[in-house]
Amino acid sequence: LSSSDPNDEACLTQLSQTLKDPLNNLQNWTKSTFANPCSGFTSYLPGATCNNGRIYKLSLTNLSLQGSISPFLSNCTNLQSLDLSSNSISGPIPQDLQYLVNLAVLNLSSNRLEGEIPQQLALCAYLNVIDLHDNLLTGQIPQELGLLARLSAFDVSNNKLSGPIPASLGNRSGNLPRFNATSFGGNKDLYGYPLPPMKSKGLSVLAIVGIGLGSGLASLVISFTGVCIWLKITEEKMAAAEEGKIGQFMPDY
């Protein structure tokens, strides 16, 4: 049996300090347990899986966890699967996750994560799954993620991402798995294949013609009304003048 690893202890200690557990679901996550979380393939921590005395998987899903993700999570260098989905975790995705060189599954979906997707995730060459849907992520999708040859599942839907979808992800070639529109939907300012074309925010040609015709018609009505009023006034003035002239020639009785 392998002895406990100091890196795993630092990883778990820092993670427990940045995460908030209002429902006390992680009551066994204590300092004494962090010092020796594994015994071979046996784990003493709920949500953790061990492999030869090292933390192999962390699955803390749907536990109402809050707080943020510690960058010191990168100390769990043997970690191959990280699943913190369906919680209320906020803050950024740490760039330090790039040091999890064995990571194959990253699921941070259904949280309140903010900021940009770190391009450094492309350094995790074994990533098969990146699931970040239903968060508050902003910025563009890093083109570097398209370099992950093993990537078979990718979902960034329902965020606040913007800009073009990298062709290396939206239009993959060869034998690489392809991702459809559901992987990218729900991002108002994200565009490009495989999403449908964005609707034009400008006025359509018909709308412009309609406005032009409407304005022209309104101007014509106003002009015509003005002419009618002017003719009416002129006619009344002429009638009054003629009546005055006739009165001068009429004899007095």
Side-chain angles (χ1 to χ4, degrees):
L1 299 179
S2 299
S3 59
S4 60
D5 190 280
N7 288 327
D8 284 355
E9 181 181 359
C11 163
L12 297 170
T13 300
Q14 294 292 336
L15 183 61
S16 67
Q17 290 177 357
T18 57
L19 289 179
K20 297 179 180 179
D21 180 24
L23 301 183
N24 201 26
N25 287 310
L26 303 179
Q27 56 182 337
N28 292 335
W29 280 55
T30 60
K31 186 176 180 179
S32 58
T33 310
F34 297 153
N36 189 23
C38 298
S39 177
F41 293 89
T42 302
S43 170
Y44 301 122
L45 286 174
T49 302
C50 295
N51 182 11
N52 200 26
R54 295 293 309 278
I55 297 295
Y56 174 68
K57 294 181 181 180
L58 281 177
S59 181
L60 307 175
T61 66
N62 198 24
L63 298 176
S64 299
L65 298 177
Q66 301 173 3
S68 59
I69 302 174
S70 170
F72 291 97
L73 186 61
S74 59
N75 284 333
C76 286
T77 54
N78 201 46
L79 195 65
Q80 295 190 27
S81 178
L82 176 62
D83 189 348
L84 302 177
S85 61
S86 301
N87 287 293
S88 297
I89 302 172
S90 56
I93 299 174
Q95 297 180 4
D96 296 58
L97 295 185
Q98 64 180 299
Y99 300 116
L100 297 176
V101 295
N102 295 309
L103 194 64
V105 175
L106 177 63
N107 188 352
L108 305 177
S109 63
S110 299
N111 279 287
R112 298 176 182 175
L113 296 173
E114 302 171 336
E116 299 185 354
I117 301 173
Q119 64 182 23
Q120 291 84 352
L121 290 179
L123 297 176
C124 301
Y126 292 104
L127 272 174
N128 290 300
V129 176
I130 296 180
D131 192 350
L132 306 174
H133 77 266
D134 285 293
N135 276 288
L136 303 172
L137 299 172
T138 55
Q140 298 187 8
I141 301 174
Q143 295 187 11
E144 293 81 357
L145 298 184
L147 300 176
L148 294 169
R150 297 172 180 262
L151 195 61
S152 59
F154 183 77
D155 193 348
V156 292
S157 61
N158 299 321
N159 278 281
K160 297 183 178 181
L161 298 172
S162 59
I165 296 174
S168 56
L169 286 170
N171 193 17
R172 307 182 97 191
S173 58
N175 295 324
L176 296 176
R178 299 189 180 186
F179 311 119
N180 56 32
T182 57
S183 294
F184 306 97
N187 292 280
K188 182 180 179 182
D189 297 318
L190 192 65
Y191 60 90
Y193 186 84
L195 290 177
M198 295 181 68
K199 295 182 179 180
S200 175
K201 295 182 180 180
L203 293 173
S204 65
V205 175
L206 291 177
I208 294 174
V209 172
I211 292 174
L213 291 176
S215 300
L217 182 60
S219 299
L220 182 61
V221 171
I222 293 173
S223 300
F224 180 74
T225 303
V227 171
C228 290
I229 294 174
W230 179 81
L231 288 175
K232 182 66 175 178
I233 294 174
T234 303
E235 183 181 356
E236 290 178 354
K237 288 182 178 180
M238 291 179 65
E242 290 295 329
E243 185 177 348
K245 290 181 181 180
I246 296 174
Q248 292 177 0
F249 297 101
M250 291 295 290
D252 294 330
Y253 293 100

